[in-house]
Amino acid sequence: GENVEQHPSTLSVQEGDSAVIKCTYSDSASNYFPWYKQELGKGPQLIIDIRSNVGEKKDQRIAVTLNKTAKHFSLHITETQPEDSAVYFCAASGNAGGTSYGKLTFGQGTILTVHP
Amino acid sequence: DTGVSQDPRHKITKRGQNVTFRCDPISEHNRLYWYRQTLGQGPEFLTYFQNEAQLEKSRLLSDRFSAERPKGSFSTLEIQRTEQGDSAMYLCASQDLFYAWYFGPGTRLTVT
């Protein structure tokens, strides 16, 4: 099955700096890569996603890049703000066959702290 | 609020008791998922429904766990004879036609 590795596990930045979180995946058939933000006591919130036919996607201060050859994708947050502090999860999914269809595999998470 | 809702938000139970959780997906989504998340980890897939059909179950879903989705709308997850190892956040998600998953707020289960 799919395996997703996420780094770093913790990331501390000053307000206004950029933050980058990286993930690698193992299943070359994976074709959908979402990123989630999870605040304490809440469920994961979808913040951006990218599909395998696109190399980069941007939404205001958030961008995601995908390198299918190397099987890695990254989340970039620019001009960080204290309210960006949360746990961020990457995930991967594909339509590689009956048993893996529809299953989202998550990375281990990154605790992002933005200091004012 | 038209997002995924879950009930209850918190449940404390004694070991050996049965518990049931409910999930109401976004109304137009026909795919529904259950995930489990333990502290410091990412969510792990448990099971998946398309309409009322349960199409896949993880090996994490022991015989004590059962999930249903009657009429293809809300879903329930029941855990029988709870164990301390069942303590976790149980997350429900529904999926739209563009293949994006939307998660509910979760039910935090504590087994004492």
Side-chain angles (χ1 to χ4, degrees), chain B residues 41-89:
Chain B
Q41 301 295 317
E44 294 177 292
F45 169 81
L46 291 180
T47 191
Y48 154 53
F49 289 85
Q50 175 136 350
N51 299 312
E52 65 275 9
Q54 188 173 18
L55 297 185
E56 187 174 348
K57 292 193 292 185
S58 164
R59 61 180 181 275
L60 293 175
L61 216 63
S62 75
D63 291 344
R64 298 184 295 105
F65 288 70
S66 63
E68 295 183 339
R69 193 183 181 196
K71 303 178 183 178
S73 56
F74 71 91
S75 175
T76 58
L77 178 68
E78 181 183 16
I79 308 174
Q80 296 181 329
R81 305 180 304 282
T82 51
E83 301 173 356
Q84 288 189 321
D86 297 332
S87 295
M89 174 82 89

Side-chain angles (χ1 to χ4, degrees), chain A residues 31-32 34 36 38 41-44 46 49 51 89 93-95 98-109, chain B residues 9 31 33 35 37 40-45 48 50 56 89 91 95-96 98-106 108:
Chain A
N31 56 13
Y32 176 68
Y36 289 87
Q38 188 172 28
K42 297 184 178 180
L46 178 66
D49 56 12
R51 299 172 198 276
F89 289 97
S93 179
N95 192 6
T99 59
S100 64
Y101 179 79
K103 184 164 60 177
L104 199 56
T105 301
F106 283 81
Q108 297 83 355
Chain B
R9 295 293 308 278
R31 295 181 185 145
Y33 299 78
Y35 283 77
Q37 186 178 26
Q41 301 295 317
E44 294 177 292
F45 169 81
Y48 154 53
Q50 175 136 350
E56 187 174 348
M89 174 82 89
L91 294 162
Q95 189 178 34
D96 68 13
F98 298 100
Y99 209 40
W101 278 258
Y102 296 90
F103 284 83
R108 179 162 294 285

